[in-house]
Amino acid sequence: MRIRLIGEHVHVSIAVLAGAELAFCCGAFVLAAHVRFGRNLTGFEGDYGPLWPRALVFGVVMILCLLAFGLYSARQRARAFGIVVRVVAAVTVGFAVTAIVWYVIPGLRVGRGVMILATVASIVAVTLTRTVFSRLVNEDVFKRRVLVYGSGQGAAAIAELRRRSDRRGFALVGFVKADGEARALPVTTLDSSLGLFDLCVRHDVDEIVVAMDDRRRQFPLRELLECRLAGVDVTELLTFLERETGRVRLDVLNPSWLIFGPGFRRDPLRLFSSRTLDVVASVLILTVSLPVMLLSAVAILVEDGWRSPVFYRQARVGGAGRSFELLKFRSMRASTSCRRY
């Protein structure tokens, strides 16, 4: 099952995990203050001010860093050790970003002892939360039960989603062979003679995905309308695949989806908020990664000589067909025509 957040589809299970980790990171900060200053926080609040605003800032920064490291991706396939490494790296970056926030906003600053204790406690809390969550939470509780109407080439794109990570958001009930389709998939095919509405009631279906190869033949308009009025969602194939996989399947793409699809909103507020987020995130990432970038530049000069170019410039195409030049750290041998940057 998914919810829509800031125009994006988010799994309920991931939203619950993020909320739990936010609470634990805030709690880790409060616990660190208690450990550092004892049960009486008069000393802390007297030196720095109220505790909870700082705990909330610390928790939000940690969650954003976990998000930036891909730890809330619905297609997470890393093993346990890889997850722990990412958690440690994300929380460490969160420590650095929080320190920058304290520097920019002196009124929210805290002591180094509290920050170090809170960071260590957050690593432990997030790791334990993910371990318990992956073992105890029944993911089927959060999944939408999906019935696919169609059993041809379009429906095969859903049948190919076999891995657990691919089906994180839905449980596949089965396929219903549409009228006029020549072949059926060698997977669970339900009896179409019962009708879509009866199948939805019998199998407790939450969503029907229309995956007919040719909708001009016997499109079940009345049956789908009956299901829709009964509270069952009806979704077009490409919209479903984009939502669940994060990609657009070009082999089943049709022009009508590009016209009526929900992913092309270009209103001024959306453009402004998107651009603002891009600029703010870029400045923060540039600030944090600047020392590493300087070290990379020095390493390139040491390896290839001080007269060698550090960057490689490449032409790219952006929005509205406008071209721009991208600067990258050079990782290959410099050619004779390569200019110094």
Side-chain angles (χ1 to χ4, degrees), residues 52-131:
W52 279 105
R54 290 160 174 78
L56 183 60
V57 170
F58 177 82
V60 169
V61 170
M62 291 300 170
I63 295 303
L64 291 176
C65 289
L66 292 171
L67 176 65
F69 274 74
L71 288 167
Y72 294 118
S73 172
R75 295 171 294 280
Q76 182 68 251
R77 297 191 180 99
R79 296 184 179 275
F81 178 75
I83 294 295
V84 173
V85 171
R86 285 192 185 185
V87 168
V88 174
V91 174
T92 302
V93 171
F95 174 88
V97 173
T98 308
I100 295 174
V101 173
W102 299 155
Y103 179 79
V104 174
I105 310 177
L108 291 178
R109 68 185 181 89
V110 296
R112 287 175 295 179
V114 174
M115 279 291 297
I116 294 174
L117 290 174
T119 301
V120 174
S122 295
I123 293 174
V124 175
V126 171
T127 303
L128 291 178
T129 300
R130 288 178 175 265
T131 302

Side-chain angles (χ1 to χ4, degrees), residues 30 33-34 37 40-54:
V30 175
H34 277 280
F37 291 94
N40 185 3
L41 293 178
T42 304
F44 177 89
E45 296 184 347
D47 293 337
Y48 302 107
L51 176 62
W52 279 105
R54 290 160 174 78

Side-chain angles (χ1 to χ4, degrees), residues 2 57 69 138 228-229 259 277 289 340:
R2 287 172 176 257
V57 170
F69 274 74
N138 181 9
R228 190 69 184 90
L229 293 175
I259 297 173
L277 180 62
S289 60
R340 181 179 174 85

Side-chain angles (χ1 to χ4, degrees), residues 145-152 154-159 170-178 181 185 188-190 196 199 205 207-212 235 237 240:
R145 294 179 59 79
V146 170
L147 175 69
V148 180
Y149 185 74
S151 58
I158 299 179
F170 70 97
L172 185 60
V173 174
F175 296 83
V176 176
K177 187 175 181 296
E181 289 185 328
L185 293 170
T188 305
T189 303
L190 304 178
L196 287 178
L199 286 172
V205 173
E207 182 177 15
I208 297 175
V209 178
V210 180
M212 301 174 62
T235 306
L237 173 63
F240 176 81

Side-chain angles (χ1 to χ4, degrees), residues 248-302:
V248 176
R249 288 287 299 262
L250 298 180
D251 55 335
V252 292
L253 179 64
N254 55 74
S256 63
W257 182 83
L258 293 174
I259 297 173
F260 297 106
F264 297 95
R265 291 186 297 169
R266 305 288 292 175
D267 54 277
L269 180 60
R270 188 178 185 87
L271 292 174
F272 174 77
S273 60
S274 176
R275 183 58 179 169
T276 302
L277 180 62
D278 290 342
V279 172
V280 172
S282 299
V283 171
L284 289 176
I285 294 174
L286 180 63
T287 303
V288 173
S289 60
L290 186 59
V292 179
M293 295 171 65
L294 292 175
L295 290 176
S296 300
V298 172
I300 293 173
L301 294 176
V302 169

Side-chain angles (χ1 to χ4, degrees), residues 53 58 81 88 162 198 221 241 289 299 308 324 331 339:
F58 177 82
F81 178 75
V88 174
R162 300 187 181 92
D198 291 335
L221 180 61
L241 291 173
S289 60
S308 301
F324 66 96
S331 59
R339 293 179 294 172

